[in-house]
Amino acid sequence: MSARAEALDHLVRGIVDDPDAVRVTEKSTRRGPLLEVRVAPADLGRVIGRSGRTARALRTVTTALSEDDVRVDIVDVDRR
């Protein structure tokens, strides 16, 4: 796992009620690197935040840690 994925994992685990359900995977896509965050359905609202503020902040921090643009996708563990 890359440093940015580990940092994102650490940040998300600090926010959620069920840190054992958090999974951060890094994928390479045509549009560049993608970090996919999976959380328990009950924690999805916490990670997204009001009007997406928490998710936006997580994306900002992750992008600041990265040398290139990285996308962050947040999904619950029941999806896919």
Side-chain angles (χ1 to χ4, degrees), residues 4 7-8 11 54-66 70 72:
R4 61 183 170 215
L8 182 60
L11 290 171
T54 306
R56 197 172 317 117
L58 289 169
R59 287 183 179 107
T60 300
V61 170
T62 305
T63 302
L65 292 173
S66 178
V70 62
V72 177

Side-chain angles (χ1 to χ4, degrees), residues 3-71:
R4 61 183 170 215
E6 288 179 16
L8 182 60
D9 182 71
H10 179 74
L11 290 171
V12 172
R13 285 178 187 270
I15 297 171
V16 298
D17 287 331
D18 185 8
D20 293 333
V22 174
R23 299 286 179 262
V24 177
T25 55
E26 190 165 12
K27 297 179 179 181
S28 183
T29 64
R30 287 186 301 196
R31 293 177 51 192
L34 167 70
L35 293 176
E36 187 174 83
V37 179
R38 292 181 178 270
V39 296
D43 289 326
L44 194 58
R46 283 183 178 276
V47 175
I48 294 173
R50 235 177 229 199
S51 300
R53 288 182 188 162
T54 306
R56 197 172 317 117
L58 289 169
R59 287 183 179 107
T60 300
V61 170
T62 305
T63 302
L65 292 173
S66 178
E67 295 175 1
D68 50 356
D69 286 337
V70 62
R71 293 181 318 136

